[in-house]
Amino acid sequence: GAVSGSGRSSFPFPYTPYRIQEQFMAALYAALEAGRVGIFESPTGTGKSLSLICGALSWLRDFEEKKQQEEARLLAPEGSGQEEKQPLASGGLACLNSGDTSGEPDWITAFVQKKEEQDLVHRLKEEQIRRKKREERLEKIRHNVQLKYAAKRKRSEEDETKHLLQLSKEILSEGAGEAVPEQLDHNEEELILAEYESDEEKKVTSGLEEDDNNDLEEEHVTKIYYCSRTHSQLSQFVHEVQKSPFGKDTRLVSLGSRQNLCVNEEVRRLGALQLINDRCTEMQKNKHEKKSDAEVEGKKRRVSRAVCPFYSYEQMQFLRDEVLVEVKDIEQLVTLGKETKACPYYGSRYAIPAAQLVVLPYQMLLHEATRSAAGIILKDQVVIIDEAHNLIDTITCIHSVEVSGSQLCCAHSQLLQYMERYRKRLKAKNLMYIKQILYLLERFVVMLGGNVNQNPSCQAVSQTGTELKSINDFLFQSQIDNINLFKVAQVSSIGTLFGFVERYGNPAPAVKTNKENQKLAGLQNFLMTLQQGSYKEAASPLMHIEGFLSALTNANEDGRVILNRQGTIGQSSLKFLLLNPAVHFAKVVKECRAVIIAGGTMQPVADFREQLLSCAGVDPARIVEFSCGHVIPPENILPMVLCSGPSNQQLEFTYQTRDLPQMMDETGRILCNLCNVVPGGVVCFFPSYDYEKQVYAHWEKAGLLTRLATKKKIFQEPKKANQVEQVLAEYAKCIKRCSQAGGQMTGALLLSVVGGKMSEGINFSDDLGRCVIMVGMPYPNIKSPELQEKMTWLDKTMLGTAKDFASILLLDHRYARPAILNKLPQWIRERIQVKSAFGSAFAELRKVSPSLS
């Protein structure tokens, strides 16, 4: 494609692009080149993903080319056009630091410049060597298939050797007799907390052993981070990259959670994400401690600790290179991990520095702690956030945390058991931190009106209702304002505690009921029911509590604590609500070279500008907007607003009226009529899961479901994410079957939920979506205390920072005459409202001045 100035006139594309796709790519290229923050809107169905891929990767390819040209010029050997060597232009590799040297002699200035140039040349040479090494390595893999099989064979031989060693150890140890009674069972050794050191007291080391690290850690190249909301959206995007002209030679890395990427069956079996995370971290820690175990072998009995067989330097180096050689989605990455016996979770992370395109879920990019744990460095990189219409809510949700009274009591009990069991083995500092966490949990339950030592399911709440507090008020009233929450939050996440909980989750054998812990006896039944019920799925409550403690370290004005007192203490909860998402987004915008926020519907754009970008300190001049229409001819689409149904019942789905039987009946009648005439698939969206369930149950009772089922097979959106693919596949299969069979059944009806798993990023193409219905308006409940608090906060904050406003009142009825009106300036004429009654004028004034009313 031709490149001119800061733009590009044509782009590699798998087919002839639509005009709007060309405009989209050109605007995207210009925004990336100029380092802007762009708000890009391109309706669903206009090939937005492909435009993003081809526009952004064209820019990256050109950027890399320019960089290498400048590099070659600077590294040209002495005497070959030396006079052409000049400091790099801005926006190139790196500006030489030419500060104001007016007061210095020429020889000093010349010396400083020479030194800077030498440093730069040295850095470029290193970078070049690293790049060449990487390219040679990947080229080898591309062309030498035998290498793969040799590596595989070597691994299976190693496995066999390990297996034989294990067997001989077991045979030898069979007659060895009992361990010394006062020592702990060797499996329990790993449950003792290591000496806790805060970040200031230690140098954090993570990942592989240091000597291994040098080979795996690389300098970060300029790259694009692409993130979206769901796993299926990311997979879809990767498939688009594979089909694009960039599919063959782009180094792409897909990141996901351990739940998606772990290939160790023993760990996967734990099910809950938190349990998987903790077991994985624990096994990784065990691997690093093996060295130190060997050193102290003479001093104390050696401990056998589980390590992950998939976490090995050699295997992960192999997997990392495999990832970079060919574009793979999460599923292909997992298959590769199983084949090569290498961990895809860590292997993919080691591929980040050399990758050109990193595909990852929202959470991983927008949450700072998760970001740094994954090894993501945003400095001077490009970030594209897709499906971003709900970005403000997403950031709010990621940083809002809720803990129930049940979880607080359960965590307190588990932690107390842990402390009793290992009191004599714990270091003094750790004991202090554990006691602090116990105190915090006790105070939180008191705030809900309960007692942490009694069964939360049996404690009735005296005053039900919802109460909001500022962070500071909550800390003072809980009497915990003198505790350093930063440090405590770090301790509460130590995986060892989860190891204990998982092993001794069933409290009866874990604690001998002596006088000291008699008070636990009342909790035994409660903990037993948790064990048998949903507790196992939810992992340790300590994780939620750690999140809540971290949230309380936000600035006082940026959040609120909601005390929600219901029926019993167990059902009651504490929730941290983030009010200002901009604080967390500011770091992303500040560090990145460019940020693109893209979606099918980005209106109202003012919300993004004011609530997110202005509050995050983005200069308005840095913001660019792009919006385009649809590619579908007007005669191919029929949008309609329906005000009443077949029996003339007016349609109004407010919270007050939507539960009325006649409203649900009318909705059913509308669907029956539509399903009679619309072929293929019909998708119907409801405002919430609860309302969809309620309507479904009502139709079942009224016999409407049976009527619907004669024309369409009915499918419901599942609540569990892992069932979505299956439901969609069945839905598609049914539609295909009906269109081929041509009987009375004409297709399928899918009942979905706005903001659910199927409301975005899923392609209902052709027969899968011949008609889409939206029941009611997906507004949140205006009476919700959270929403009211958010609105109050926005009124105060937005009027103070982002919105400038004024009123102009013309007091004389003659101003309303057309002859006079036409003489007023156009900008006033366009906006003027004529009010004959003072009351309505006053109401308008109050609207624009909410902070005074």
Side-chain angles (χ1 to χ4, degrees):
V3 187
S4 64
S6 67
R8 211 181 210 272
S9 56
S10 64
F11 295 85
F13 214 72
Y15 52 82
T16 306
Y18 294 114
R19 180 82 193 98
I20 59 170
Q21 287 178 313
E22 286 174 341
Q23 291 165 344
F24 185 103
M25 290 186 285
L28 175 64
Y29 189 102
L32 298 181
E33 184 64 17
R36 299 295 189 87
V37 174
I39 302 172
F40 278 62
E41 181 179 58
S42 180
T44 305
T46 52
K48 171 168 54 72
S49 298
L50 257 183
S51 303
L52 281 169
I53 291 162
C54 296
L57 289 176
S58 291
W59 171 82
L60 186 63
R61 196 180 269 178
D62 291 346
F63 177 83
E64 285 174 351
E65 217 169 280
K66 268 187 272 184
K67 189 173 168 177
Q68 283 183 27
Q69 283 166 5
E70 288 181 332
E71 207 175 271
R73 199 179 74 234
L74 274 158
L75 295 179
E78 297 289 327
S80 61
Q82 182 66 23
E83 67 285 352
E84 303 223 350
K85 281 198 202 179
Q86 281 163 8
L88 296 173
S90 66
L93 267 174
C95 265
L96 287 176
N97 181 14
S98 51
D100 180 24
T101 54
S102 52
E104 291 172 352
D106 288 350
W107 69 269
I108 291 184
T109 310
F111 176 77
V112 169
Q113 281 189 345
K114 185 78 182 150
K115 173 87 176 79
E116 282 177 348
E117 201 163 307
Q118 282 171 345
D119 289 350
L120 178 64
V121 167
H122 180 66
R123 204 169 65 242
L124 291 178
K125 275 184 179 158
E126 280 189 342
E127 212 173 289
Q128 211 176 40
I129 292 165
R130 253 197 311 269
R131 192 174 62 241
K132 286 210 171 108
K133 252 191 192 171
R134 183 182 65 231
E135 282 165 7
E136 281 166 18
R137 213 172 56 226
L138 300 185
E139 204 50 40
K140 221 183 224 169
I141 292 177
R142 268 190 201 100
H143 291 108
N144 194 351
V145 186
Q146 284 175 328
L147 196 76
K148 288 188 189 182
Y149 293 113
K152 251 191 215 177
R153 195 169 57 248
K154 185 166 181 260
R155 272 191 302 279
S156 55
E157 282 166 11
E158 282 171 2
D159 287 349
E160 190 57 32
T161 316
K162 272 184 204 161
H163 181 60
L164 290 169
L165 270 171
Q166 188 58 36
L167 274 176
S168 55
K169 270 184 198 166
E170 281 165 16
I171 293 163
L172 281 171
S173 63
E174 262 173 16
E178 291 295 306
V180 190
E182 67 265 25
Q183 284 191 302
L184 290 172
D185 161 8
H186 72 278
N187 282 332
E188 279 190 70
E189 284 288 344
E190 64 200 75
L191 294 179
I192 305 299
L193 282 174
E195 175 80 80
Y196 170 70
E197 298 172 296
S198 70
D199 287 345
E200 308 92 80
E201 298 168 309
K202 69 177 175 189
K203 212 172 165 201
V204 184
T205 57
S206 69
L208 299 160
E209 290 148 25
E210 261 174 61
D211 37 331
D212 297 344
N213 244 349
N214 299 336
D215 275 340
L216 270 180
E217 289 297 341
E218 290 195 45
E219 197 81 5
H220 279 250
V221 302
T222 300
K223 63 176 67 28
I224 293 161
Y225 286 100
Y226 170 90
C227 65
S228 197
R229 199 170 72 118
T230 65
H231 179 61
S232 61
Q233 284 167 347
L234 293 171
S235 281
Q236 220 168 294
F237 180 81
V238 174
H239 294 151
E240 293 279 356
V241 175
Q242 286 168 331
K243 289 186 297 192
S244 81
F246 296 89
K248 288 277 176 283
D249 55 3
T250 297
R251 298 189 302 276
L252 178 146
V253 176
S254 292
L255 298 182
S257 64
R258 285 183 177 90
Q259 206 168 21
N260 286 325
L261 286 171
C262 177
V263 287
N264 184 334
E265 277 312 314
E266 188 193 322
V267 178
R268 279 180 74 89
R269 227 173 285 140
L270 296 170
L273 177 62
Q274 197 42 54
L275 290 176
I276 292 173
N277 281 345
D278 296 323
R279 171 53 62 83
C280 174
T281 315
E282 192 186 326
M283 285 175 139
Q284 194 191 336
K285 194 180 78 194
N286 293 346
K287 184 172 176 71
H288 300 306
E289 283 174 7
K290 272 199 153 181
K291 275 189 178 177
S292 54
D293 281 348
E295 288 156 21
V296 292
E297 200 172 353
K299 295 176 205 166
K300 66 169 191 181
R301 190 169 56 85
R302 180 91 183 270
V303 177
S304 91
R305 288 176 169 170
V307 295
C308 182
F310 296 90
Y311 188 82
S312 106
Y313 159 67
E314 202 181 347
Q315 287 150 229
M316 280 193 296
Q317 193 182 28
F318 184 76
L319 184 115
R320 174 201 65 185
D321 291 345
E322 279 285 343
V323 165
L324 294 172
V325 159
E326 192 184 26
V327 173
K328 292 173 183 64
D329 67 10
I330 296 274
E331 282 72 25
Q332 291 164 323
L333 198 55
V334 168
T335 309
L336 180 69
K338 286 175 181 167
E339 276 175 13
T340 58
K341 287 206 159 46
C343 171
Y345 179 76
Y346 284 105
S348 59
R349 275 162 166 65
Y350 285 116
I352 293 172
Q356 294 162 308
L357 180 56
V358 178
V359 176
L360 69 170
Y362 274 179
Q363 168 85 21
M364 215 172 265
L365 185 106
L366 298 170
H367 190 266
E368 195 181 10
T370 314
R371 196 163 66 229
S372 58
I376 292 165
I377 298 171
L378 294 181
K379 186 92 183 82
D380 297 331
Q381 308 293 19
V382 169
V383 162
I384 296 175
I385 300 170
D386 201 1
E387 304 298 344
H389 51 273
N390 53 12
L391 181 61
I392 295 172
D393 290 344
T394 302
I395 299 172
T396 304
C397 287
I398 286 173
H399 296 90
S400 298
V401 195
E402 186 165 21
V403 285
S404 67
S406 240
Q407 288 171 326
L408 292 167
C409 291
C410 177
H412 186 275
S413 170
Q414 289 169 354
L415 208 48
L416 198 60
Q417 291 173 48
Y418 178 86
M419 191 176 77
E420 296 295 339
R421 189 179 185 92
Y422 302 120
R423 183 187 282 273
K424 293 184 177 70
R425 304 289 303 272
L426 288 164
K427 301 275 192 296
K429 194 188 279 182
N430 278 332
L431 203 54
M432 177 192 80
Y433 280 125
I434 288 173
K435 283 181 175 170
Q436 280 190 342
I437 299 170
L438 286 168
Y439 172 72
L440 288 170
L441 295 171
E442 196 180 311
R443 295 309 306 165
F444 290 160
V445 175
V446 168
M447 286 299 279
L448 289 172
N451 179 340
V452 81
N453 297 315
Q454 291 169 15
N455 184 337
S457 312
C458 303
Q459 296 181 64
V461 171
S462 50
Q463 270 185 308
T464 57
T466 304
E467 193 182 348
L468 275 103
K469 294 186 184 298
S470 72
I471 300 174
N472 287 351
D473 286 350
F474 178 76
L475 297 177
F476 285 127
Q477 287 167 29
S478 311
Q479 298 167 12
I480 60 171
D481 50 301
N482 57 342
I483 290 176
N484 182 340
L485 292 175
F486 282 100
K487 283 195 177 179
V488 176
Q490 281 177 304
V491 184
S492 66
S493 71
I494 292 175
T496 312
L497 299 178
F498 300 110
F500 168 80
V501 169
E502 199 211 322
R503 194 164 299 166
Y504 301 104
N506 184 344
V511 180
K512 297 180 181 74
T513 314
N514 53 29
K515 279 179 190 169
E516 211 176 321
N517 41 48
Q518 270 290 302
K519 57 183 171 185
L520 276 174
L523 276 169
Q524 299 289 326
N525 290 341
F526 161 64
L527 287 166
M528 291 292 277
T529 56
L530 273 181
Q531 190 68 23
Q532 291 145 14
S534 63
Y535 161 65
K536 259 298 171 206
E537 291 169 33
S540 169
L542 277 164
M543 185 56 198
H544 287 281
I545 287 145
E546 185 226 343
F548 184 68
L549 294 175
S550 297
L552 293 177
T553 62
N554 273 283
N556 186 49
E557 64 276 9
D558 290 334
R560 297 285 179 273
V561 179
I562 300 168
L563 288 82
N564 186 15
R565 301 185 181 96
Q566 300 292 328
T568 67
I569 291 297
Q571 293 164 328
S572 302
S573 67
L574 296 173
K575 179 175 181 177
F576 172 80
L577 172 70
L578 178 73
L579 293 175
N580 183 10
V583 272
H584 297 285
F585 196 60
K587 290 166 186 162
V588 175
V589 184
K590 208 172 272 146
E591 288 182 12
C592 289
R593 174 201 171 94
V595 176
I596 304 295
I597 304 169
T601 315
M602 299 300 287
Q603 302 300 335
V605 171
D607 284 3
F608 288 98
R609 277 180 171 273
E610 292 166 14
Q611 293 179 38
L612 209 54
L613 303 179
S614 294
C615 287
V618 179
D619 178 357
R622 195 185 166 198
I623 303 168
V624 289
E625 285 177 33
F626 173 88
S627 183
C628 63
H630 216 293
V631 291
I632 298 171
E635 64 273 15
N636 286 29
I637 193 155
L638 174 67
M640 281 194 296
V641 173
L642 212 54
C643 302
S644 57
S647 65
N648 273 336
Q649 166 72 49
Q650 192 187 18
L651 301 174
E652 188 181 295
F653 295 91
T654 58
Y655 278 88
Q656 292 77 34
T657 58
R658 70 185 197 180
D659 299 344
L660 297 172
Q662 60 264 38
M663 204 59 74
M664 295 190 273
D665 287 339
E666 195 73 340
T667 310
R669 282 193 284 268
I670 291 169
L671 277 175
C672 283
N673 280 294
L674 287 173
C675 289
N676 279 335
V677 293
V678 176
V682 175
V683 188
C684 180
F685 287 99
F686 289 88
S688 69
Y689 280 105
D690 290 343
Y691 190 56
E692 187 267 332
K693 250 205 215 101
Q694 190 184 343
V695 171
Y696 189 88
H698 179 82
W699 287 349
E700 206 164 23
K701 224 162 61 190
L704 274 158
L705 269 191
T706 321
R707 271 178 63 193
L708 276 169
T710 56
K711 287 287 178 192
K712 306 277 183 199
K713 185 170 179 189
I714 300 164
F715 292 88
Q716 284 175 284
E717 175 176 326
K719 257 198 159 177
K720 285 190 174 169
N722 57 359
Q723 295 167 357
V724 171
E725 296 294 334
Q726 192 192 338
V727 172
L728 280 172
E730 293 290 322
Y731 171 74
K733 217 185 283 172
C734 171
I735 292 168
K736 195 174 178 186
R737 219 177 24 245
C738 292
S739 74
Q740 286 165 352
Q744 190 189 3
M745 182 87 81
T746 62
L749 167 66
L750 177 61
L751 306 177
S752 273
V753 177
V754 174
K757 316 276 181 306
M758 295 177 172
S759 65
E760 58 184 68
I762 285 169
N763 194 1
F764 291 108
S765 59
D766 305 326
D767 256 354
L768 297 186
R770 291 296 175 202
C771 180
V772 177
I773 300 151
M774 175 69 234
V775 176
M777 290 180 176
Y779 283 140
N781 184 355
I782 194 75
K783 291 195 168 62
S784 131
E786 291 182 29
L787 184 64
Q788 292 190 337
E789 187 64 25
K790 179 87 183 180
M791 283 160 68
T792 309
W793 182 84
L794 283 172
D795 285 343
K796 275 188 199 152
T797 319
M798 291 303 115
L799 285 168
T801 59
K803 218 191 229 164
D804 197 3
F805 70 97
S807 311
I808 300 170
L809 272 72
L810 306 173
L811 306 188
D812 194 312
H813 75 96
R814 288 168 298 178
Y815 279 115
R817 293 176 186 167
I820 308 272
L821 267 180
N822 288 335
K823 288 179 182 166
L824 295 173
Q826 189 184 347
W827 66 272
I828 291 185
R829 256 198 340 264
E830 285 168 352
R831 296 166 175 81
I832 201 153
Q833 299 180 24
V834 176
K835 301 284 182 190
S836 48
F838 177 73
S840 68
F842 190 65
E844 284 296 326
L845 269 173
R846 285 184 66 159
K847 268 189 218 164
V848 296
S849 325
S851 52
L852 301 177
S853 49

